Amino acid sequence: MDADAVPGPAAPVTTTPPADAPVVPPLPAALLVAAGGTVGVLARALLGQAVATAPDGWPWVTLGINVAGSCALGVLLAVLQRGPDVGRRRAVRLAVGTGVLGGFTTYSTFALDVVGLVEGGRVAAGVAYALVSVTAGVGAAVVGLVLGARVRRPGAVARAGGAA
């Protein structure tokens, strides 16, 4: 910053939620994320134990978890973007989006799987796995966004003047 520069007035910051925002008791964001993350990690661990993968096999479980989680994140994003990130909506985003789905998906395991395939001499399989995982994850997120956009809020048809 130039020593002679004089900073102008800061833009006003509005943090007040809309009047119709639901009242949610204040919970620390970290608590919501930690609780949700615990649920997501447990779900992933149970699924990983339930479906056996051969040591030299294709990592189907990790692929399935990441694709399912990406789709769920897309749905959640589409549903939650219908209003300001305050109150109950913020709590759901933190607990379910960042927590549960962040704990459930495992792109770090995906990276380790790719390295394992390549270091095990299966370079083509590693490259294919990386391409399939990224492509399927992005595709699943798009599908989730489309599905989430179709979810109607209760009473949306009546407010729009349509019949149920």
Side-chain angles (χ1 to χ4, degrees):
M1 176 181 224
D2 185 16
D4 296 327
V6 177
V13 176
T14 303
T15 58
T16 306
D20 61 344
V23 177
V24 175
L27 289 175
L31 181 62
L32 291 171
V33 173
T38 301
V39 171
V41 167
L42 285 173
R44 176 169 35 103
L46 291 172
L47 190 59
Q49 288 179 348
V51 181
T53 300
D56 60 344
W58 184 270
W60 290 108
V61 175
T62 303
L63 177 64
I65 285 170
N66 287 336
V67 170
S70 295
C71 184
L73 281 169
V75 170
L76 185 67
L77 176 64
V79 170
L80 292 180
Q81 72 179 4
R82 296 179 184 150
D85 186 36
V86 295
R88 192 175 314 158
R89 180 170 288 134
R90 181 173 187 267
V92 169
R93 178 182 58 80
L94 290 171
V96 177
T98 306
V100 173
L101 296 174
F104 182 69
T105 56
T106 176
Y107 280 90
S108 58
T109 302
F110 151 73
L112 288 173
D113 289 342
V114 170
V115 169
L117 288 168
V118 170
E119 287 182 349
R122 301 174 59 198
V123 175
V127 171
Y129 177 62
L131 291 173
V132 167
S133 291
V134 171
T135 304
V138 171
V142 171
V143 168
L145 286 169
V146 171
L147 292 174
R150 293 177 179 237
V151 174
R152 295 191 186 273
R153 287 182 289 174
V157 173
R159 281 193 300 273

